[in-house]
Amino acid sequence: PELSGGQWVAVAALGPVGTGAYLAFYRALQLGPLAIVSPIASANGAVVVVLAVILLGDSLSRTQALGAAVVLCCVVLAAVDVGERVPPGPGDGDGDGVRLAVLATVMFAGYLFALVALAEPAGWLLPILLTRMTGLPLLAAIVARRRERPWRLLGPGALALACAVGWLESAGFLLFNRGAEIGQAALTSAAAATYPLVPVACGLLLLHERLRAYQAVGIAGVLAGMTLLAL
């Protein structure tokens, strides 16, 4: 593709940004509290929508703008679990998990916005391919420095699950970027922001968790907002 020097630099920089976002996100989940960390992490789609409208010039009808706002707000509502608490580990401050969740949200928003901004000049595949290539050396350096080999403690089933997670996550990013290439980035980002409903559904079906009343309202709001987005 015919990319400028700045665009090539942006593509190369996205790998470390995406890797840093994942590190901050998983550490935030570990520190908790999940009731705050989870909805904060779910809010990155709102940032991408705003950036797409302001910087990329995406225009939404009033109905679509209302649908996007409803989806983004209700996703956060559905992700909240006021009954779940994970105490901080030894030596960790009470606010470390929240601060890392905010950092992860900002980094994920920047990463996703850069992907959709590069989708038009570079296509939907190349930005993701190159960001994975530039992020892998960073992960390898971190693993080498920590000298931990946690996968040796995992059985075949856990390793197979980890591989499946990697394939699903990569496929999700590819579909997201393809959607941004053929449609508006703001609409694609708002629709993709509904992903927290999948773990909520899995918790209900597989872990037999009980749906709280406000979460049911959030899910209903997401479905209503998606209907408005489709109009």
Side-chain angles (χ1 to χ4, degrees):
E2 297 180 358
L3 299 180
S4 65
Q7 288 172 330
W8 280 112
V9 171
V11 170
L14 281 182
V17 171
T19 300
Y22 275 111
L23 294 176
F25 175 61
Y26 282 114
R27 181 58 173 163
L29 290 178
Q30 183 182 26
L31 294 177
L34 294 183
I36 301 176
V37 168
S38 180
I40 289 176
S42 303
N44 63 78
V47 182
V48 181
V49 172
V50 172
L51 292 176
V53 172
I54 296 176
L55 299 181
L56 298 183
D58 284 2
S59 58
L60 302 178
S61 67
R62 291 183 179 181
T63 301
Q64 290 172 331
L66 176 61
V70 170
V71 166
L72 296 170
C73 293
C74 290
V75 161
V76 174
L77 181 62
V80 173
D81 189 350
V82 297
E84 193 75 26
R85 290 292 185 273
V86 176
D92 292 324
D94 291 342
D96 288 349
V98 175
R99 286 192 289 268
L100 285 173
V102 173
L103 176 62
T105 297
V106 173
M107 296 181 75
F108 272 129
Y111 177 74
L112 293 175
F113 175 73
L115 284 183
V116 299
L118 291 168
E120 181 176 351
W124 59 276
L125 176 60
L126 185 65
I128 297 176
L129 176 63
L130 293 181
T131 55
R132 295 307 170 98
M133 292 173 60
T134 55
L136 183 60
L138 177 59
L139 282 175
I142 294 173
V143 171
R145 183 176 180 82
R146 293 178 62 90
R147 298 181 179 179
E148 295 179 357
R149 303 295 183 268
W151 53 84
R152 293 179 179 176
L153 304 177
L154 300 177
L159 289 174
L161 179 60
C163 291
V165 169
W167 294 332
L168 289 171
E169 186 253 7
S170 297
F173 274 118
L174 291 171
L175 290 171
F176 171 80
N177 226 31
R178 176 57 177 163
E181 183 187 33
I182 62 178
Q184 291 197 70
L187 291 176
T188 303
S189 301
T194 60
Y195 71 88
L197 298 187
V198 176
V200 170
C202 290
L204 293 172
L205 298 176
L206 302 180
L207 303 180
H208 306 291
E209 295 177 347
R210 299 179 64 180
L211 188 66
R212 303 176 191 277
Y214 59 84
Q215 290 177 315
V217 173
I219 293 173
V222 169
L223 296 177
M226 292 295 292
T227 302
L228 293 175
L229 283 176
L231 296 178

